[in-house]
Protein backbone atom coordinates (compact mmCIF):
# COMPACT_ATOMS: atom_id res chain seq x y z
CA UNK A 1 0.00 0.00 0.00
CA UNK A 2 2.87 2.37 0.83
CA UNK A 3 4.30 1.84 -2.66
CA UNK A 4 0.94 2.60 -4.29
CA UNK A 5 0.39 -0.96 -5.54
CA UNK A 6 -3.06 -1.25 -3.94
CA UNK A 7 -5.66 0.93 -5.63
CA UNK A 8 -8.46 0.02 -3.21
CA UNK A 9 -10.99 0.67 -5.99
CA UNK A 10 -11.83 -2.81 -7.24
CA UNK A 11 -11.41 -6.18 -5.57
CA UNK A 12 -11.86 -9.68 -6.98
CA UNK A 13 -12.58 -12.80 -4.96
CA UNK A 14 -12.25 -16.49 -5.75
CA UNK A 15 -11.38 -19.82 -4.16
CA UNK A 16 -9.31 -22.77 -5.28
CA UNK A 17 -9.18 -26.33 -3.98
CA UNK A 18 -5.88 -27.65 -2.65
CA UNK A 19 -5.49 -31.33 -1.79
CA UNK A 20 -5.05 -32.13 1.88
CA UNK A 21 -2.28 -34.34 3.26
CA UNK A 22 -4.70 -37.26 3.49
CA UNK A 23 -4.96 -40.57 1.66
CA UNK A 24 -8.22 -40.77 -0.30
CA UNK A 25 -8.35 -44.56 0.24
CA UNK A 26 -8.16 -44.34 4.04
CA UNK A 27 -11.41 -43.06 5.48
CA UNK A 28 -14.40 -43.59 7.75
CA UNK A 29 -17.90 -43.18 6.37
CA UNK A 30 -19.53 -39.84 7.16
CA UNK A 31 -22.54 -41.61 8.69
CA UNK A 32 -20.39 -43.53 11.17
CA UNK A 33 -18.06 -40.65 12.00
CA UNK A 34 -14.64 -41.01 13.61
CA UNK A 35 -13.90 -43.73 16.19
CA UNK A 36 -13.95 -42.32 19.75
CA UNK A 37 -10.42 -43.54 20.51
CA UNK A 38 -8.89 -41.48 17.67
CA UNK A 39 -7.08 -38.57 19.28
CA UNK A 40 -4.63 -36.45 17.31
CA UNK A 41 -3.96 -32.74 16.91
CA UNK A 42 -5.80 -32.78 13.55
CA UNK A 43 -8.85 -34.39 15.24
CA UNK A 44 -8.79 -31.72 17.99
CA UNK A 45 -8.70 -29.00 15.32
CA UNK A 46 -11.56 -30.70 13.44
CA UNK A 47 -13.70 -30.69 16.60
CA UNK A 48 -12.80 -27.05 17.28
CA UNK A 49 -14.15 -25.89 13.88
CA UNK A 50 -17.28 -28.08 13.74
CA UNK A 51 -19.55 -25.04 14.22
CA UNK A 52 -17.39 -22.56 12.30
CA UNK A 53 -19.34 -21.22 9.28
CA UNK A 54 -16.19 -21.55 7.15
CA UNK A 55 -15.77 -25.23 8.14
CA UNK A 56 -18.16 -27.70 9.79
CA UNK A 57 -21.01 -25.18 10.07
CA UNK A 58 -20.97 -24.41 6.33
CA UNK A 59 -23.18 -27.33 5.30
CA UNK A 60 -25.63 -29.69 6.99
CA UNK A 61 -24.86 -32.37 4.39
CA UNK A 62 -23.07 -35.41 5.84
CA UNK A 63 -19.77 -35.86 3.98
CA UNK A 64 -19.45 -39.26 2.28
CA UNK A 65 -15.96 -39.84 3.73
CA UNK A 66 -13.98 -38.52 6.68
CA UNK A 67 -10.22 -38.78 6.69
CA UNK A 68 -8.79 -40.02 10.02
CA UNK A 69 -5.51 -38.16 9.40
CA UNK A 70 -7.16 -34.80 8.53
CA UNK A 71 -10.90 -34.93 9.30
CA UNK A 72 -11.52 -31.20 8.68
CA UNK A 73 -10.61 -31.62 5.00
CA UNK A 74 -13.57 -32.24 2.67
CA UNK A 75 -13.90 -35.17 0.27
CA UNK A 76 -14.93 -33.54 -2.98
CA UNK A 77 -14.63 -33.65 -6.73
CA UNK A 78 -16.11 -30.15 -7.05
CA UNK A 79 -13.67 -29.00 -9.74
CA UNK A 80 -13.87 -32.13 -11.86
CA UNK A 81 -11.49 -35.08 -11.83
CA UNK A 82 -11.47 -37.73 -9.15
CA UNK A 83 -12.59 -36.91 -5.63
CA UNK A 84 -9.90 -36.05 -3.05
CA UNK A 85 -9.73 -34.67 0.46
CA UNK A 86 -9.31 -30.91 0.02
CA UNK A 87 -9.28 -27.47 1.62
CA UNK A 88 -10.10 -24.24 -0.19
CA UNK A 89 -7.77 -21.26 -0.27
CA UNK A 90 -9.72 -18.01 -0.70
CA UNK A 91 -8.07 -14.90 -2.15
CA UNK A 92 -9.25 -11.33 -2.09
CA UNK A 93 -7.14 -9.31 -4.51
CA UNK A 94 -6.88 -5.70 -5.53
CA UNK A 95 -7.27 -5.81 -9.29
CA UNK A 96 -4.95 -2.91 -10.13
CA UNK A 97 -1.76 -4.96 -9.73
CA UNK A 98 -3.30 -8.28 -8.60
CA UNK A 99 -1.91 -7.84 -5.09
CA UNK A 100 -3.44 -10.28 -2.60
CA UNK A 101 -4.96 -8.17 0.18
CA UNK A 102 -6.32 -11.06 2.23
CA UNK A 103 -6.39 -14.85 2.32
CA UNK A 104 -8.60 -17.29 4.22
CA UNK A 105 -8.66 -21.08 4.54
CA UNK A 106 -12.05 -22.79 4.45
CA UNK A 107 -13.62 -26.13 3.86
CA UNK A 108 -14.25 -27.02 0.22
CA UNK A 109 -17.95 -26.12 -0.10
CA UNK A 110 -19.41 -23.02 -1.74
CA UNK A 111 -21.20 -21.69 1.35
CA UNK A 112 -17.89 -21.71 3.22
CA UNK A 113 -16.21 -19.79 0.40
CA UNK A 114 -18.92 -17.11 0.56
CA UNK A 115 -18.39 -16.86 4.33
CA UNK A 116 -14.65 -16.54 3.74
CA UNK A 117 -15.25 -13.74 1.21
CA UNK A 118 -17.35 -11.81 3.74
CA UNK A 119 -14.73 -12.25 6.44
CA UNK A 120 -11.95 -11.01 4.17
CA UNK A 121 -13.91 -7.93 3.05
CA UNK A 122 -14.76 -7.06 6.67
CA UNK A 123 -11.15 -7.64 7.77
CA UNK A 124 -9.46 -5.50 5.12
CA UNK A 125 -11.86 -2.73 5.99
CA UNK A 126 -11.28 -3.00 9.74
CA UNK A 127 -7.52 -3.67 9.60
CA UNK A 128 -6.38 -1.79 6.50
CA UNK A 129 -9.10 0.81 6.01
CA UNK A 130 -9.81 -0.51 2.50
CA UNK A 131 -13.34 -0.05 1.17
CA UNK A 132 -13.58 -1.06 -2.51
CA UNK A 133 -16.12 0.43 -4.87
CA UNK A 134 -16.74 -2.92 -6.58
CA UNK A 135 -16.30 -6.63 -5.96
CA UNK A 136 -15.78 -9.00 -8.88
CA UNK A 137 -16.65 -12.67 -8.52
CA UNK A 138 -18.22 -15.64 -10.28
CA UNK A 139 -21.78 -16.96 -9.97
CA UNK A 140 -20.88 -18.81 -6.77
CA UNK A 141 -20.91 -15.42 -5.02
CA UNK A 142 -24.17 -14.37 -6.72
CA UNK A 143 -26.64 -15.65 -4.12
CA UNK A 144 -29.35 -13.22 -2.94
CA UNK A 145 -27.84 -13.21 0.55
CA UNK A 146 -24.33 -12.31 -0.63
CA UNK A 147 -25.54 -9.63 -3.07
CA UNK A 148 -27.78 -8.10 -0.37
CA UNK A 149 -24.89 -8.07 2.09
CA UNK A 150 -22.57 -6.34 -0.41
CA UNK A 151 -25.07 -3.71 -1.52
CA UNK A 152 -27.04 -2.98 1.64
CA UNK A 153 -24.47 -3.54 4.37
CA UNK A 154 -21.18 -2.71 2.64
CA UNK A 155 -22.21 -0.32 -0.13
CA UNK A 156 -20.10 -2.28 -2.65
CA UNK A 157 -21.14 -2.70 -6.30
CA UNK A 158 -21.54 -6.41 -7.11
CA UNK A 159 -19.81 -7.19 -10.43
CA UNK A 160 -21.09 -10.71 -10.01
CA UNK A 161 -23.51 -12.76 -12.16
CA UNK A 162 -26.82 -13.24 -10.34
CA UNK A 163 -27.46 -16.81 -9.23
CA UNK A 164 -30.98 -17.27 -10.59
CA UNK A 165 -32.81 -20.55 -11.06
CA UNK A 166 -36.19 -19.01 -11.88
CA UNK A 167 -35.92 -19.54 -15.68
CA UNK A 168 -38.67 -21.86 -16.94
CA UNK A 169 -37.82 -24.73 -19.25
CA UNK A 170 -41.43 -25.72 -20.02
CA UNK A 171 -42.12 -22.79 -22.36
CA UNK A 172 -44.21 -20.96 -19.74
CA UNK A 173 -43.74 -17.22 -19.11
CA UNK A 174 -40.54 -16.45 -17.17
CA UNK A 175 -40.37 -14.17 -14.18
CA UNK A 176 -38.80 -11.60 -16.50
CA UNK A 177 -42.09 -11.46 -18.44
CA UNK A 178 -43.70 -9.90 -15.36
CA UNK A 179 -42.93 -6.21 -14.78
CA UNK A 180 -42.40 -5.01 -11.23
CA UNK A 181 -43.67 -1.63 -10.08
CA UNK A 182 -41.54 -0.47 -7.13
CA UNK A 183 -43.88 2.31 -6.13
CA UNK A 184 -47.07 0.28 -6.13
CA UNK A 185 -45.34 -2.94 -5.10
CA UNK A 186 -46.94 -5.30 -7.58
CA UNK A 187 -46.09 -7.23 -10.74
CA UNK A 188 -47.98 -6.74 -14.00
CA UNK A 189 -48.42 -9.92 -16.02
CA UNK A 190 -48.32 -10.20 -19.87
CA UNK A 191 -52.13 -9.83 -19.88
CA UNK A 192 -51.89 -6.56 -17.94
CA UNK A 193 -53.27 -7.93 -14.65
CA UNK A 194 -51.72 -7.31 -11.26
CA UNK A 195 -49.98 -9.86 -9.05
CA UNK A 196 -50.01 -8.71 -5.43
CA UNK A 197 -48.84 -9.92 -2.08
CA UNK A 198 -51.13 -12.46 -0.51
CA UNK A 199 -53.35 -10.68 2.02
CA UNK A 200 -56.24 -11.90 4.06
CA UNK A 201 -59.17 -9.84 5.15
CA UNK A 202 -58.88 -8.40 8.63
CA UNK A 203 -55.91 -6.47 9.88
CA UNK A 204 -53.40 -9.30 10.06
CA UNK A 205 -50.64 -8.86 7.51
CA UNK A 206 -49.50 -12.23 6.13
CA UNK A 207 -47.17 -10.36 3.92
CA UNK A 208 -43.93 -11.34 5.54
CA UNK A 209 -41.42 -13.26 3.41
CA UNK A 210 -41.06 -16.99 4.02
CA UNK A 211 -38.12 -18.45 5.90
CA UNK A 212 -36.30 -18.67 2.55
CA UNK A 213 -36.49 -14.88 2.19
CA UNK A 214 -39.00 -14.89 -0.68
CA UNK A 215 -42.22 -12.91 -1.11
CA UNK A 216 -45.05 -14.56 -3.04
CA UNK A 217 -46.90 -12.35 -5.51
CA UNK A 218 -50.12 -13.94 -6.76
CA UNK A 219 -52.56 -13.18 -9.56
CA UNK A 220 -56.29 -13.30 -8.90
CA UNK A 221 -57.92 -16.64 -9.66
CA UNK A 222 -60.75 -14.81 -11.42
CA UNK A 223 -58.26 -13.07 -13.75
CA UNK A 224 -56.35 -16.24 -14.58
CA UNK A 225 -59.41 -18.44 -15.13
CA UNK A 226 -60.73 -15.95 -17.71
CA UNK A 227 -57.34 -15.35 -19.39
CA UNK A 228 -56.54 -16.49 -22.94
CA UNK A 229 -52.84 -16.75 -22.01
CA UNK A 230 -53.48 -19.20 -19.18
CA UNK A 231 -52.12 -22.28 -21.07
CA UNK A 232 -48.73 -20.49 -21.40
CA UNK A 233 -48.80 -19.08 -17.91
CA UNK A 234 -50.35 -21.44 -15.36
CA UNK A 235 -52.07 -24.41 -16.99
CA UNK A 236 -53.05 -25.92 -13.60
CA UNK A 237 -55.90 -24.84 -11.35
CA UNK A 238 -53.77 -22.46 -9.26
CA UNK A 239 -53.43 -18.80 -10.32
CA UNK A 240 -49.93 -17.65 -11.35
CA UNK A 241 -47.43 -16.90 -8.62
CA UNK A 242 -44.13 -14.98 -8.88
CA UNK A 243 -41.43 -15.17 -6.21
CA UNK A 244 -39.41 -12.11 -5.23
CA UNK A 245 -36.41 -12.18 -2.93
CA UNK A 246 -36.14 -9.70 -0.07
CA UNK A 247 -32.76 -8.93 -1.70
CA UNK A 248 -34.28 -8.37 -5.16
CA UNK A 249 -33.10 -4.74 -5.16
CA UNK A 250 -29.47 -5.89 -4.84
CA UNK A 251 -30.06 -8.58 -7.47
CA UNK A 252 -31.53 -5.98 -9.83
CA UNK A 253 -28.48 -3.75 -9.30
CA UNK A 254 -26.19 -6.67 -10.20
CA UNK A 255 -28.28 -7.29 -13.35
CA UNK A 256 -28.00 -3.62 -14.37
CA UNK A 257 -24.20 -3.65 -13.80
CA UNK A 258 -23.96 -6.75 -16.02
CA UNK A 259 -25.33 -4.67 -18.92
CA UNK A 260 -22.80 -1.84 -18.54
CA UNK A 261 -19.52 -1.42 -20.45
CA UNK A 262 -17.46 -1.78 -17.26
CA UNK A 263 -18.72 -5.36 -16.96
CA UNK A 264 -16.35 -6.42 -19.79
CA UNK A 265 -13.41 -4.90 -17.90
CA UNK A 266 -14.50 -6.63 -14.70
CA UNK A 267 -14.71 -10.02 -16.44
CA UNK A 268 -11.13 -9.50 -17.66
CA UNK A 269 -9.97 -8.41 -14.21
CA UNK A 270 -11.47 -11.53 -12.64
CA UNK A 271 -8.95 -13.59 -14.61
CA UNK A 272 -6.18 -12.08 -12.46
CA UNK A 273 -7.22 -14.04 -9.40
CA UNK A 274 -7.50 -17.23 -11.47
CA UNK A 275 -3.97 -16.63 -12.75
CA UNK A 276 -2.71 -16.34 -9.17
CA UNK A 277 -4.16 -19.77 -8.39
CA UNK A 278 -2.60 -21.22 -11.54
CA UNK A 279 0.74 -19.71 -10.46
CA UNK A 280 0.26 -21.05 -6.92
CA UNK A 281 -0.15 -24.60 -8.18
CA UNK A 282 2.17 -24.71 -11.19
CA UNK A 283 5.08 -22.52 -10.11
CA UNK A 284 4.94 -22.61 -6.30
CA UNK A 285 3.71 -26.22 -6.58
CA UNK A 286 1.18 -25.87 -3.80
CA UNK A 287 -1.25 -28.40 -5.26
CA UNK A 288 -1.04 -30.48 -2.08
CA UNK A 289 -0.63 -29.39 1.53
CA UNK A 290 2.26 -30.60 3.67
CA UNK A 291 0.62 -29.73 7.00
CA UNK A 292 -2.60 -31.11 8.43
CA UNK A 293 -5.64 -29.52 10.04
CA UNK A 294 -7.23 -26.09 9.50
CA UNK A 295 -4.28 -24.37 11.18
CA UNK A 296 -1.82 -26.13 8.88
CA UNK A 297 -3.90 -25.09 5.85
CA UNK A 298 -4.08 -21.49 7.13
CA UNK A 299 -0.32 -21.33 7.64
CA UNK A 300 0.54 -22.71 4.22
CA UNK A 301 -2.02 -20.57 2.41
CA UNK A 302 -0.80 -17.40 4.14
CA UNK A 303 2.87 -18.12 3.46
CA UNK A 304 2.17 -18.93 -0.18
CA UNK A 305 0.13 -15.72 -0.63
CA UNK A 306 2.92 -13.70 1.02
CA UNK A 307 5.43 -15.29 -1.36
CA UNK A 308 3.27 -14.37 -4.33
CA UNK A 309 2.99 -10.77 -3.15
CA UNK A 310 6.77 -10.56 -2.62
CA UNK A 311 7.38 -11.82 -6.16
CA UNK A 312 4.92 -9.21 -7.42
CA UNK A 313 6.68 -6.40 -5.54
CA UNK A 314 10.08 -7.56 -6.76
CA UNK A 315 8.80 -7.35 -10.33
CA UNK A 316 7.06 -3.99 -10.08
CA UNK A 317 9.16 -1.91 -7.71
CA UNK A 318 12.47 -0.90 -9.32
CA UNK A 319 15.58 -1.95 -7.41
CA UNK A 320 17.78 0.87 -6.23
CA UNK A 321 21.19 0.86 -7.95
CA UNK A 322 24.10 -0.30 -5.73
CA UNK A 323 26.35 2.61 -4.78
CA UNK A 324 29.63 2.80 -6.72
CA UNK A 325 32.70 1.98 -4.67
S1 LIG B 1 -52.90 -16.43 -16.60
FE1 LIG B 1 -53.16 -14.89 -15.01
S2 LIG B 1 -51.09 -14.17 -14.56
FE2 LIG B 1 -51.00 -15.30 -16.48
S3 LIG B 1 -51.16 -13.77 -18.06
FE3 LIG B 1 -53.24 -14.51 -17.65
S4 LIG B 1 -54.06 -13.16 -16.07
FE4 LIG B 1 -51.88 -12.83 -16.15
Amino acid sequence: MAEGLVGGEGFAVDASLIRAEANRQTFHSGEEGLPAELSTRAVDEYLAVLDDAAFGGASQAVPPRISPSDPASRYTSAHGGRAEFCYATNYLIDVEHAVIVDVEASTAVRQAEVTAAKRMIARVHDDLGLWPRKLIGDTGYGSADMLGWLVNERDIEPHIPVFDKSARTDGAFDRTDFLFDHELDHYTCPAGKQLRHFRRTGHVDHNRPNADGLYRYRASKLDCDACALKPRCCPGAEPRKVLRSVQEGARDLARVIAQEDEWITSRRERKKVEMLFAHLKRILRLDRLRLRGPNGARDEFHLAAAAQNLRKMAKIIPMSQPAMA
Side-chain angles (χ1 to χ4, degrees), residues 269-285:
E269 288 172 333
R270 194 172 75 78
K271 297 268 182 285
K272 294 184 180 181
V273 66
E274 290 172 359
M275 283 164 63
L276 281 169
F277 287 137
H279 177 268
L280 177 74
K281 291 177 181 179
R282 292 200 200 125
I283 310 297
L284 299 189
R285 298 202 170 278

Side-chain angles (χ1 to χ4, degrees), residues 173 178 189-191 193-195 217-241:
F173 291 131
F178 294 76
C189 73
K193 305 292 183 191
Q194 290 179 6
L195 284 75
Y217 287 77
R218 295 168 198 269
S220 131
K221 187 162 166 45
L222 282 177
D223 286 341
C224 291
D225 284 348
C227 178
L229 298 174
K230 190 171 188 333
R232 266 200 73 192
C233 191
C234 48
E238 288 290 310
R240 181 65 192 251
K241 178 176 72 181

Side-chain angles (χ1 to χ4, degrees), residues 53-54 57-61 106-118 140:
S59 169
Q60 298 302 315
S106 74
T107 194
V109 297
R110 208 25 136 162
Q111 299 94 309
E113 293 165 7
V114 170
T115 298
K118 289 181 178 178

Side-chain angles (χ1 to χ4, degrees), residues 6-33:
V6 175
E9 161 83 2
F11 285 179
V13 68
D14 205 355
S16 187
L17 300 188
I18 306 288
R19 282 188 295 149
E21 174 55 13
N23 186 338
R24 63 187 297 275
Q25 305 289 6
T26 310
F27 61 88
H28 298 278
S29 89
E31 295 288 351
E32 287 172 16

Side-chain angles (χ1 to χ4, degrees), residues 145-165:
D145 170 63
M146 179 65 175
L147 297 175
W149 183 82
L150 284 172
V151 174
N152 300 322
E153 294 187 34
R154 293 278 156 179
D155 197 18
I156 296 172
E157 288 178 13
H159 288 234
I160 298 171
V162 177
F163 183 73
D164 191 349
K165 291 199 290 186

